[in-house]
Amino acid sequence: MARTRYIAGNWKMNTSRAEAVSLAQDIVNGLSGQPHTYMIAPPFVYLDAVSQVVKGSNVLLGAQDVAASDNGAHTGEVSGAMLKDIGVQTVIIGHSERRHEIGESDMLINAKVRKALSCDLDVVLCIGELLSEREAGAAESVCAFQLSAGLSGVTEAQMARVTIAYEPVWAIGTGKTATPDDAQAIHHCVRAHIARLYGPAVSESVIIQYGGSMKPENAAELLAQPDVDGGLIGGAALKAASFVSICCA
């Protein structure tokens, strides 16, 4: 079946307020009239400003994380309801930098997934293996475990709001990229595992992004793979020209 192409830009801890607004405006202008699904995820402190820029456009507003709780004594956390209140539509959960730099567990990531869905937010769930795990031949099993853990308690109906992002940790911010064949192999395994969890209909419809140093030079070849439905873009999302180029690859 034909799945919608979905390109998302994760700005991470970059930009000033003025830069965020300008970048968002350039992206909105560059993608006006384009037919696929697009999302940008600025830093938390600029979400409100960027929300005003993307409002009414074909660019979704995403957040880079979400709390697993609704409210209360959780210093520094931002709830799904707060994000919804300023126009956020989707959240990135389980990014490798939060798994491996912050130390987020699969249990916490799953709690965030379920909380975001209960708040009427879409989810981009990130999974991916370390270089040591790939070299040990465990890439597929690691991704399958993270997938099962992250989706625990998520219903078949809720899967319509979940996108999976495969991000080989060794290819994030390093300039290294999985070959198109490497990416396709894991994406195919991810889709097969979703079929085991939810059945073939969900498996065929779920969007699986590639998130490991996709850039204008390699986007078309990666996106040509049958199970690669889009990209979760890091560094190349910080310049409108390169992000728009990937979106139009």
Side-chain angles (χ1 to χ4, degrees), residues 12-247:
K12 306 188 182 184
M13 197 171 68
N14 293 293
T15 72
S16 65
R17 185 183 188 280
E19 289 167 344
V21 168
S22 177
L23 177 56
Q25 189 63 67
D26 288 344
I27 288 171
V28 166
N29 293 343
L31 294 177
S32 178
Q34 294 298 315
H36 303 296
T37 302
Y38 314 104
M39 182 266 277
I40 53 176
F44 274 121
V45 290
Y46 305 136
L47 281 168
D48 201 16
V50 172
S51 176
Q52 306 308 309
V53 178
V54 301
K55 185 181 297 183
S57 76
N58 62 341
V59 179
L60 302 173
L61 182 64
Q64 298 175 22
D65 188 31
V66 65
S69 306
D70 288 321
N71 51 49
H74 305 290
T75 300
E77 293 291 279
V78 180
S79 73
M82 293 172 178
L83 295 174
K84 287 279 292 184
D85 196 34
I86 59 170
V88 171
Q89 296 148 294
T90 186
V91 292
I92 300 169
I93 298 175
H95 192 282
S96 64
E97 289 157 2
R98 296 204 63 84
R99 289 180 186 267
H100 300 294
E101 291 183 16
I102 309 299
E104 290 193 359
S105 67
D106 287 294
M107 185 179 295
L108 176 58
I109 289 163
N110 175 244
K112 289 183 175 187
V113 168
R114 289 184 285 110
K115 182 57 67 178
L117 291 170
S118 75
C119 292
D120 199 31
L121 289 163
D122 291 342
V123 167
V124 176
L125 172 61
C126 301
I127 61 172
E129 81 281 3
L130 298 166
L131 181 59
S132 59
E133 293 167 331
R134 169 165 282 270
E135 290 176 338
E140 294 179 9
S141 61
V142 167
C143 290
F145 178 85
Q146 292 176 351
L147 198 61
S148 293
L151 295 175
S152 178
V154 175
T155 67
E156 181 177 333
Q158 287 176 317
M159 283 299 293
R161 306 199 68 162
V162 175
T163 294
I164 306 300
Y166 166 59
E167 39 165 28
V169 181
W170 46 272
I172 297 171
T174 63
K176 297 179 181 178
T177 310
T179 68
D181 288 344
D182 288 338
Q184 167 58 22
I186 298 292
H187 279 236
H188 179 75
C189 289
V190 168
R191 199 173 302 284
H193 192 63
I194 292 173
R196 289 191 288 272
L197 295 174
Y198 294 100
V202 172
S203 173
E204 282 302 308
S205 62
V206 72
I207 292 172
I208 308 174
Q209 299 172 327
Y210 174 75
S213 295
M214 184 182 284
K215 41 192 179 284
E217 294 78 15
N218 61 25
E221 193 174 7
L222 285 163
L223 292 167
Q225 302 306 306
D227 288 303
V228 178
D229 306 313
L232 179 59
I233 316 302
L238 293 172
K239 293 186 177 178
S242 58
F243 185 68
V244 170
S245 177
I246 292 170
C247 291

